[in-house]
Each structure stands twice: as C-alpha cells, then as structure tokens.
Amino acid sequence: AFESLGADVTAPFEFSFTVPVGQVGESLRFFANVQDTDGLMSPDSAIEALTIKADEPPTIEIVRPTSDDTVVIEGQEIMVDVRVRDDLGPSGVDRVEFFVNEALTETVYLPVSQTENLSGQNDVYRLRLFPPTGLPGFEVHALGYDVLGQVAESRRISIGTVEDTVAPEIEVLEP
C-alpha cells in the first residue's frame, strides 16, 4: 500500500522527504501523478524503488601540508587543510576538530568555500595557526564528524620548526 507524502504545486516539480531511520536494507517504492490546471489527472507513473543503506562515517585526509617534511620558522603562520567527505554530501559534514600535540586547538564548522569564497572547495576545512614556541616541532591531526555523529580521524603529520635567527633589516626608501 502506498501513502501520500504530499504535493508540489510549483515548477520545477520535485519532492523531498526524510529517509526513515532504522530501516536499513528495506526498499522504498514511489510513484507520482499529475493534476493539470483543469483538474484532469494523469495516469500513475511507473513505480520506482530504492534501498535504504546504512550511513557511513565521513572520510578525512590532510591535504596541506602534504608530508612530514614540512618545516616552518617560529612565528610563521601555517595553514592546515583537510578534505572531509560524507556519503550524505557536503551538508552531511557537521564539523572538523583540529588538534596540535593532542590538544584541541580549533573546531571549524564551515568549509573554505564559505569562509574564504574558494569555489569548488566545499569539502576543505582550514586551520590557520602559529607553531608552538620553544619546540623543535609539533604534531597535527583532525577529526571529522558527520551530522549523525559518526567520526573519522586523519593521519598525524609532524611539522618541524626552526628558530628565527635572521634579524630584520631596516632600509630608508625616501627621506
């Protein structure tokens, strides 16, 4: 037996609904019909079916820096970019937590496509940080969460730091 989910009265005609929870493996069957402005009904469409799949955890990878060979000068800002993808699409990602030396440093909720207007980067999340001072290096990793609470952990990367030993030079350009 079929149950009416509703009607769409504005072109383009489409319909969204929430997939029921706890019914993994079951099939949902659909059909549609149309009523024109004179009240005439179309025949029912062919019946279509889809099978409900279990939600998968997101995937996460650090895309910048690209390796453990990265070294920065103390006081130099570094960007850490992670790519997070979820089977529910970009809107399925809830947040990314960035850790430096095992300490939660920042939680990011929006991808760089929204924070920095970078087109096509709706799955990249960015941390800008200054390295901890007085250490020869530090470790960074991230956790990506989807909207259903599933989590994925990135690999850990080591970033080396070197002391800033070059004094700035002052040069007068004009009197």
Side-chain angles (χ1 to χ4, degrees), residues 6-146:
D8 186 356
V9 296
T10 307
F13 303 104
E14 55 190 12
F15 195 81
S16 297
F17 75 101
T18 301
V19 175
V21 176
Q23 296 184 13
V24 173
E26 294 186 24
S27 291
L28 297 175
R29 298 174 2 157
F30 300 88
F31 74 89
N33 53 36
V34 178
Q35 182 177 10
D36 69 14
T37 55
D38 292 325
L40 299 174
M41 294 293 294
S42 72
D44 293 344
S45 70
I47 295 174
E48 299 290 336
L50 60 91
T51 302
I52 300 173
K53 292 175 47 179
D55 180 49
E56 297 288 328
T59 61
I60 185 170
E61 67 174 316
I62 295 177
V63 294
R64 180 169 48 176
T66 58
S67 72
D68 284 339
D69 298 335
T70 302
V71 177
V72 295
I73 298 170
E74 278 190 351
Q76 176 185 359
E77 182 182 55
I78 186 168
M79 287 187 279
V80 178
D81 289 345
V82 297
R83 176 169 286 120
V84 182
R85 294 188 172 143
D86 190 66
D87 57 342
L88 299 176
S91 64
V93 176
D94 179 57
R95 68 188 182 280
V96 176
E97 295 177 341
F98 287 93
F99 294 81
V100 175
N101 290 339
E102 298 299 327
L104 177 61
T105 302
E106 188 169 338
T107 302
V108 178
Y109 292 91
L110 298 172
V112 295
S113 60
Q114 294 180 32
T115 60
E116 300 186 29
N117 294 321
L118 296 177
S119 177
Q121 300 291 312
N122 61 349
D123 59 356
V124 175
Y125 294 75
R126 178 169 290 163
L127 168 68
R128 293 176 180 270
L129 77 130
F130 292 95
T133 57
L135 299 176
F138 57 100
E139 185 180 77
V140 176
H141 76 279
L143 298 177
Y145 293 84
D146 71 12

